Amino acid sequence: MPHHNQNQPWLNSRVSDTVFILSPSFVSLLLVFLFPSQFQNTEGIPITYWVFLIVFIDVAHVYSTLYRTYFNPVNFKKQYALLTAIPLSCYIVGVIIYRFDGLWFWRILAYLAVYHFIRQQYGFMRLYSRNEKVSPVERLVDKVAIYTATLYPLLFWHLSTARNFNWFIEGDFFSFKNDALLKRFGDCIYGHHCNLPC
């Protein structure tokens, strides 16, 4: 039996991690549960809500990266070539793609955002388990749990006819509207009777 470290490896502190990392998802779900009618139609959400929820909350971790890179003179000097070449390259490639087709520009950004969304969950799991001494099988179970939990939302965004959500613009995700297939996938992923067509 592997030895598990009993000390929780908080990223900052118990209070800080609980308030700023762990609780927001539960608070968000509670708000949706308490006020479902407010979240049924995203078209009526004012721009101020969007700015507050997306720019100030969801994207805030991006801003904090600036303090570890561009605003840190030692790190910026050490990684100067990387920190200047990557944004410049991304800008040039982005302009070329947008010039070619605006929808494809937003579509590529949407899929990069989804990739980030999935890997972010895996990253949190690895950070919080960094001091654990576990077997390869236990680590595999952790990976499967994370990827399974993030697979259904991805399928939902692609297959649901009732999806009321876009990452950036209408049509940024490919859409294969098929609720019956979505239900079958959900049954398979979450342990119900699986009856997928061959």
Side-chain angles (χ1 to χ4, degrees):
M1 183 86 175
H3 169 70
H4 294 272
N5 188 346
Q6 298 301 314
N7 295 324
Q8 175 64 44
W10 300 107
L11 300 182
N12 188 30
S13 71
R14 180 189 306 263
V15 173
S16 172
D17 284 19
T18 301
V19 170
F20 295 110
I21 296 176
L22 302 175
S23 70
S25 57
F26 295 104
V27 171
S28 300
L29 288 173
L30 179 63
L31 289 173
V32 171
F33 179 75
L34 292 175
F35 308 104
S37 61
Q38 300 291 337
F39 297 94
Q40 293 296 323
N41 186 2
T42 57
E43 291 177 9
I45 294 178
I47 190 69
T48 51
Y49 284 21
W50 185 87
V51 168
F52 179 74
L53 294 171
I54 304 300
V55 177
F56 289 158
I57 295 178
D58 186 48
V59 187
H61 66 284
V62 176
Y63 307 137
S64 64
T65 304
L66 295 173
Y67 292 98
R68 307 268 320 248
T69 54
Y70 295 96
F71 300 159
N72 183 318
V74 174
N75 285 344
F76 183 67
K77 187 175 181 182
K78 190 191 307 183
Q79 302 288 334
Y80 178 78
L82 197 64
L83 293 174
T84 51
I86 288 178
L88 187 60
S89 302
C90 288
Y91 176 77
I92 292 169
V93 170
V95 168
I96 291 169
I97 293 171
Y98 193 85
R99 182 96 171 130
F100 169 73
D101 188 330
L103 178 61
W104 272 99
F105 170 81
W106 290 111
R107 181 166 285 160
I108 290 168
L109 280 186
Y111 280 101
L112 285 172
V114 168
Y115 173 77
H116 169 73
F117 161 75
I118 293 171
R119 292 295 293 172
Q120 183 174 285
Q121 310 315 310
Y122 176 75
F124 273 120
M125 184 269 296
R126 294 291 294 130
L127 283 170
Y128 278 105
S129 64
R130 66 190 182 278
N131 296 334
E132 293 179 1
K133 294 176 174 52
V134 297
S135 70
V137 172
E138 289 174 300
R139 200 166 297 286
L140 178 62
V141 168
D142 285 344
K143 282 184 186 178
V144 169
I146 290 292
Y147 290 126
T148 301
T150 55
L151 178 61
Y152 186 77
L154 195 56
L155 290 170
F156 182 86
W157 294 328
H158 285 86
L159 297 175
S160 176
T161 57
R163 179 167 66 97
N164 184 25
F165 170 80
N166 297 305
W167 276 88
F168 298 112
I169 64 168
E170 183 72 34
D172 50 11
F173 270 19
F174 290 110
S175 183
F176 311 100
K177 297 178 177 176
N178 190 329
D179 288 330
L181 186 59
L182 179 63
K183 183 180 184 321
R184 289 182 179 175
F185 273 125
D187 289 344
C188 286
I189 292 169
Y190 296 110
H192 299 289
H193 178 64
C194 185
N195 188 22
L196 281 174
C198 295

